[in-house]
Amino acid sequence: DSWYSDTAFAYVGQIDTNGINFWYVRAAGGLDTNDGLTWPTAFQTLTKAMSVLTEGDTVIVSAGIYAETVVIDTDGISLIGADSSVAGTILDFGDSSAGPAAKGIYAANRVGLKIKNLRIQNSYKGIEWSNVDNSLIENVTIRANGQYGIEF
């Protein structure tokens, strides 16, 4: 069972200029031309969500398969999926032999990151964190990656 539900968050869809926003991503039915502030206006890709984040923001990601590398370049953000099961939120690069550029999640010189309820598979490195401090990885399944599951 997962705590996740499309109705678990009652965010009203306004951008908080003080830096705490909820952004929504949905592989099936999302569009990167949407504003990402509600489930009906969710982004389609994590890359788009990462491009609008400010410190303190949270990205809520629906179940589905996301074939992309997530590059985190903002401190203090949370990336929360539906769950880490085979029917959950899956980052799937598609080819674990693709080489060092094929990463599930990458961050360098960051603090205060929270990664939760994801499955990362078929990348060269599942998670690569370089000089990332005071951060949390929780309920993340990492499997079938070429070189490392997690590299710090």
Side-chain angles (χ1 to χ4, degrees):
D1 271 347
S2 171
W3 62 270
Y4 175 82
S5 167
D6 279 357
T7 59
F9 297 91
Y11 187 70
V12 295
Q14 296 178 339
I15 297 174
D16 178 350
T17 56
N18 293 320
I20 300 176
N21 295 294
F22 287 88
W23 303 96
Y24 297 87
V25 178
R26 188 172 61 195
L31 292 171
D32 283 349
T33 54
N34 286 343
D35 64 18
L37 295 171
T38 65
W39 282 120
T41 63
F43 296 133
Q44 183 177 26
T45 66
L46 290 156
T47 300
K48 176 61 179 179
M50 294 296 120
S51 75
V52 298
L53 291 177
T54 58
E55 188 168 349
D57 285 0
T58 298
V59 179
I60 308 296
V61 188
S62 73
I65 297 174
Y66 300 85
E68 57 188 303
T69 295
V70 177
V71 177
I72 300 173
D73 62 2
T74 305
D75 290 334
I77 63 104
S78 297
L79 179 63
I80 302 176
D83 67 59
S84 62
S85 73
V86 295
T89 304
I90 302 169
L91 300 180
D92 191 331
F93 195 82
D95 183 2
S96 63
S97 66
K103 299 169 185 157
I105 298 175
Y106 173 78
N109 305 311
R110 299 284 141 222
V111 296
L113 306 181
K114 181 177 183 179
I115 309 299
K116 184 175 180 179
N117 299 339
L118 299 172
R119 181 181 203 79
I120 303 169
Q121 61 191 32
N122 299 319
S123 61
Y124 188 71
K125 297 178 182 177
I127 296 175
E128 182 181 343
W129 279 4
S130 175
N131 196 33
V132 174
D133 295 320
N134 300 321
S135 296
L136 174 71
I137 298 171
E138 180 181 343
N139 194 34
V140 174
T141 299
I142 302 172
R143 61 173 299 281
N145 294 288
Q147 185 177 23
Y148 299 109
I150 301 175
E151 180 181 18
F152 293 102

